Amino acid sequence: MGLFKKKTTKLGNYSLKHGVGLITYDDPTSTIAEQFNTIRTNIQFSSVDKKLNSILFTSSAPSEGKSTVSNNVAVTWAKQGEKVVLVDADLRRPTIHKTFNVSNRVGLSSYLLGNASFEDVIQPTMVENLYVITSGPIPPNPSELLGSMRTKDLITRLEDKFGLLIMDAPPVNTVTDAQVLSAQIDGVVLVVPQGIAEKAGVAHAKKLLDTVHANILGVIMNRVTKQKSQGYYGGYYGGYYGGYYGADKEK
C-alpha cells in the first residue's frame, strides 16, 4: 500500500507541474489512443434515450487518473467533429492550463466571482473544435463558488454554445465539489485505478453521488496492467485503460 501511495503522489505532483499526457493528440494512432476512442463510444451509447450535453469526470480519491481520462476523452470527442468545451472544475489542484499550455490568468473562478466575462474565459486549444476554461486563480471558497447560481447559469450557457461540456472535477471523497456539480450535469463517470483505489472508498464515492441523484453513466477501470507497457510515454501510460463499465454493471 505504501508503494502505491508513493507512486500516486509522485504522479499527482508531476501533473500539477506539467499537466497530464495527451496521448490522443501526441500519438493518435497508438493502441492506447484507440482505447480512449472506445471509452468515448461507450459513453455515447450509455445514454441512448437522451443526448448527453454535459459529462463530469471524477474519482474517489486524488491522483487516480480522472484528469488524464477526461482530457484525452475530450480530445477524441473534438476529433469526431463535435464542438467541445473542457472545464477545469478542480479549483484546488488545477492542471488543464498546464496540459494545453494556455494562460490561467482568468478562468472559472474569475467568471464565478464576476471578474471576467463569459467570452473572456473560453480559450481555444491546439486541437480543432476543443476549447478550455481553466480554473483561474485558486479561490478560498471553491465549494461555495461551484454551488452558486452563477455556476448553474454557466453550465446552461456552455451547453447551449457547445455540442458537449466536459468537466474535470475534484475527487468525490475529498471535498463536496463533485457532488455539487454532479447534480447539474447530465452524466457522471467515475475513474477507478486498479490496485490503487480502495473498494470502500469507491463504494463511498458512489453513495455520495447517489445522495445528490447524480446520473452515474459508468466506471472507467484504469492502470490495469502496469508491466510490459512502454509505449509513447515510456510506461507512464502503461495499461492505462482497462475497461468501461456501464452503471448497470458497476453496482
Side-chain angles (χ1 to χ4, degrees), residues 43-55 77 159 164 183-187 215 217:
I43 292 174
Q44 286 175 312
F45 281 104
S46 67
S47 183
V48 292
D49 296 329
K50 178 188 174 186
K51 182 183 184 298
L52 292 170
N53 294 313
S54 53
I55 304 171
W77 227 297
E159 288 179 337
L164 180 68
Q184 305 175 55
I185 297 295
D186 289 345
N215 177 25
L217 299 173

Side-chain angles (χ1 to χ4, degrees), residues 1 3 27 44 55 66 71 73 104 112 116 118 128 140 148 154 174 189-190 203 207 213 216 239 241 245:
M1 183 63 71
L3 286 176
D27 195 7
Q44 286 175 312
I55 304 171
K66 51 94 181 171
N71 289 203
V73 169
N104 196 31
L112 297 180
F118 181 73
E128 188 177 0
S148 67
L154 176 63
T174 307
V189 175
L190 197 60
K207 184 177 179 181
H213 306 292
I216 303 175
Y241 165 77
Y245 302 89

Side-chain angles (χ1 to χ4, degrees), residues 103-239:
S103 171
N104 196 31
R105 187 178 58 83
V106 295
L108 180 59
S109 64
S110 312
Y111 177 83
L112 297 180
L113 287 167
N115 297 329
S117 70
F118 181 73
E119 291 75 17
D120 287 341
V121 297
I122 300 172
Q123 301 186 66
T125 70
M126 68 286 194
V127 181
E128 188 177 0
N129 296 320
L130 179 58
Y131 298 78
V132 295
I133 295 179
T134 64
S135 67
I138 296 175
N141 57 341
S143 296
E144 289 178 33
L145 283 181
L146 295 173
S148 67
M149 284 301 297
R150 197 162 168 84
T151 299
K152 191 172 183 179
D153 171 67
L154 176 63
I155 290 172
T156 300
R157 293 183 70 179
L158 290 173
E159 288 179 337
D160 288 342
K161 183 178 176 65
F162 293 89
L164 180 68
L165 159 63
I166 293 179
M167 279 197 159
D168 180 2
V172 182
N173 295 343
T174 307
V175 289
T176 62
D177 303 8
Q179 276 183 285
V180 168
L181 292 169
S182 295
Q184 305 175 55
I185 297 295
D186 289 345
V188 177
V189 175
L190 197 60
V191 177
V192 179
Q194 186 186 54
I196 296 176
E198 296 180 355
K199 186 176 180 179
V202 175
H204 183 60
K206 183 182 182 300
K207 184 177 179 181
L208 290 175
L209 291 171
D210 286 340
T211 300
V212 296
H213 306 292
N215 177 25
I216 303 175
L217 299 173
V219 172
I220 292 174
M221 182 74 75
N222 65 344
R223 300 180 192 167
V224 171
T225 308
K226 287 176 280 297
Q227 68 271 25
K228 296 180 182 178
S229 299
Q230 291 307 311
Y232 190 88
Y233 283 90
Y236 176 79
Y237 264 95

Side-chain angles (χ1 to χ4, degrees), residues 43-102:
I43 292 174
Q44 286 175 312
F45 281 104
S46 67
S47 183
V48 292
D49 296 329
K50 178 188 174 186
K51 182 183 184 298
L52 292 170
N53 294 313
S54 53
I55 304 171
L56 181 141
F57 286 81
T58 186
S59 58
S60 61
S63 302
E64 293 189 340
K66 51 94 181 171
S67 293
T68 300
V69 173
S70 62
N71 289 203
N72 277 281
V73 169
V75 171
T76 67
W77 227 297
K79 284 188 172 183
Q80 243 197 342
E82 190 84 76
K83 193 177 178 184
V84 179
V85 61
L86 173 64
V87 178
D88 197 338
D90 195 335
L91 298 181
R92 293 173 172 85
R93 293 168 59 87
T95 58
I96 285 177
H97 62 290
K98 294 286 187 180
T99 301
F100 290 91
N101 194 28
V102 295

